[in-house]
Amino acid sequence: MLDGGMTMSFHPVNWPPIFSAKVNNNRTHYRIRFNPSIAIQPCSVLVHSNEGEKLPESKKISRSQTPDPLLSPENTVGIIGGVSIFSTLVFLEKLVWLSSRNGEDSIPFVVCSDPAISRQLHVSFPPVNGKGSRIRLNHGTIVKNLRRKRVFLEQSGAGCIVMPCHISHAWQFEVSKGCSVPFLNMGDCVARELKEAKLKPIEAGSNVRIGVLTSNASQLAGFYEEKLQNQGFEVVLPDKATLEHIVVPAIEALQRKDKEGARNLLRIAIQVLLVQAVNCVILASDEFHGLLPSDDPLHKKCIDPMDALARFTIKWAQSTEKKVAKHSSKELS
């Protein structure tokens, strides 16, 4: 658990707030700082672009070009904060716990979280009312915002970038363009884990079916659909009636603080997909996180993409650390 007390102040400066941490066993060291020497460079690349100006496609940044990175380990993970700070903290908790549960040090990470992105995304997405689910095309500002954070994290010493947010992944392809380090894709992580699980179809003669349950834009479901189909899975999505009469009311119940009502509606939505012979259901929405108790039988049929992203992030970090150690031992011998 990330239970340390933390105070953060926000100022109207030209670089985003950052949060870095290195966890050694049960001691967590936090650093929050605004450093113009490392922040001014990415801002000069992206912020000075005019509204309609095309962003640079590839601005390669190597660690040697960053004289004073925030974190120096080559297995540092850069995290672009999600629409909800809660989602970001949930991912951090998973990352720290999974990487240090065997008594090892947690992997180093740096987080860039900006509440302004939430306001921009609320403008770009229609309200949850069942009348629309299409992402509007005026997303240039959002892409610029996310790409600026990505470049900032690269220059802060990150050797890998992750974006633990379902909604932000609608722009993952554009945000990752020109990235000089690996940019892990949440959909790929889920699809690869399911492929490695070697699932058997529930109905003889059919492909393995995976259900995808999302609370908003159809493009988000399509994002997972593409990744899963590339791995040979058949994807089952909720129909219009299920979305309008079950999923949307579940979100509205959450907005009214009616957690029990939302939980019951979520159970129904999952059952609707399970009766269509799906092996499991991907809960591709931040709103669904933690709704089902861990001892609920339906919980075992569901997949949280944040878990898959955390596990693949840790694999990358541990693999990179081993490569660096092996390279260093060769140089010393």
Side-chain angles (χ1 to χ4, degrees):
M1 295 287 291
L2 293 176
D3 53 3
M6 180 174 65
T7 301
M8 180 182 291
S9 59
F10 296 94
H11 306 279
V13 293
N14 291 327
W15 49 87
I18 51 177
F19 166 50
S20 64
K22 180 71 183 292
V23 180
N24 298 313
N25 295 329
N26 294 323
R27 299 181 60 190
T28 306
H29 304 280
Y30 302 100
R31 249 200 313 171
I32 303 168
R33 84 187 201 191
F34 297 87
N35 189 338
S37 67
I38 61 173
I40 193 67
Q41 292 179 348
C43 288
S44 66
V45 172
L46 300 177
V47 175
H48 289 183
S49 298
N50 294 326
E51 189 70 24
E53 186 178 342
K54 188 176 181 181
L55 288 169
E57 290 301 316
S58 59
K59 198 75 174 179
K60 295 296 183 183
I61 303 169
S62 66
R63 297 178 67 88
S64 61
Q65 291 176 298
T66 306
D68 182 27
L70 185 67
L71 290 179
S72 58
E74 294 193 23
N75 66 331
T76 295
V77 176
I79 302 168
I80 301 176
V83 177
S84 164
I85 186 63
F86 172 74
S87 300
T88 305
L89 291 174
V90 166
F91 177 76
L92 289 177
E93 182 180 12
K94 293 176 184 291
L95 196 68
V96 171
W97 186 79
L98 289 172
S99 63
S100 61
R101 59 180 173 176
N102 294 324
E104 301 174 351
D105 289 350
S106 169
I107 61 176
F109 61 84
V110 55
V111 184
C112 183
S113 182
D114 180 7
I117 191 69
S118 179
R119 294 192 294 271
Q120 293 171 2
L121 284 167
H122 282 134
V123 170
S124 294
F125 279 84
V128 181
N129 56 16
K131 295 181 179 179
S133 61
R134 184 172 55 87
I135 297 178
R136 298 174 188 173
L137 298 178
N138 58 337
H139 60 263
T141 301
I142 297 169
V143 172
K144 288 180 182 179
N145 186 314
L146 293 172
R147 290 187 71 184
R148 186 172 69 248
K149 290 170 175 55
R150 187 213 82 203
V151 175
F152 178 83
L153 291 171
E154 288 176 85
Q155 293 200 344
S156 295
C160 169
I161 305 292
V162 297
M163 192 160 56
C165 176
H166 296 287
I167 295 177
S168 297
H169 263 74
W171 298 280
Q172 198 267 352
F173 175 76
E174 294 163 284
V175 175
S176 64
K177 279 185 177 179
C179 189
S180 62
V181 298
F183 197 128
L184 298 188
N185 183 295
M186 192 152 52
D188 279 334
C189 294
V190 173
R192 287 172 61 183
E193 278 201 349
L194 288 172
K195 187 70 174 180
E196 292 169 3
K198 300 185 183 302
L199 300 173
K200 303 296 183 182
I202 292 178
E203 292 183 346
S206 66
N207 294 327
V208 174
R209 294 174 182 167
I210 307 296
V212 178
L213 195 59
T214 182
S215 63
N216 209 312
S218 59
Q219 281 89 338
L220 300 183
F223 167 80
Y224 285 96
E225 185 174 19
E226 177 187 358
K227 303 298 182 182
L228 292 166
Q229 288 177 343
N230 288 343
Q231 293 290 349
F233 297 111
E234 181 180 341
V235 180
V236 179
L237 304 175
D239 57 19
K240 184 178 179 181
T242 302
L243 286 172
E244 292 184 356
H245 301 298
I246 302 176
V247 177
V248 171
I251 304 303
E252 292 173 342
L254 277 177
Q255 293 171 346
R256 297 192 306 269
K257 310 298 183 184
D258 179 11
K259 192 171 182 179
E260 187 60 34
R263 182 181 296 117
N264 290 333
L265 288 168
L266 176 60
R267 288 189 178 112
I268 295 172
I270 294 171
Q271 291 283 14
V272 168
L273 292 176
L274 289 176
V275 297
Q276 298 179 64
V278 302
N279 289 65
C280 55
V281 176
I282 297 173
L283 299 181
S285 174
D286 294 330
E287 289 89 346
F288 298 150
H289 178 80
L291 261 185
L292 293 179
S294 57
D295 59 351
D296 191 309
L298 288 178
H299 183 272
K300 299 175 182 177
K301 290 287 187 178
C302 296
I303 293 176
D304 183 352
M306 294 292 182
D307 289 334
L309 181 62
R311 284 190 288 266
F312 268 86
T313 302
I314 293 166
K315 284 181 182 179
W316 172 86
Q318 293 175 342
S319 173
T320 301
E321 185 178 31
K322 289 178 181 178
K323 289 178 182 177
V324 172
K326 185 177 181 180
H327 179 72
S328 299
S329 63
K330 284 184 177 180
E331 288 185 338
L332 292 173
S333 60

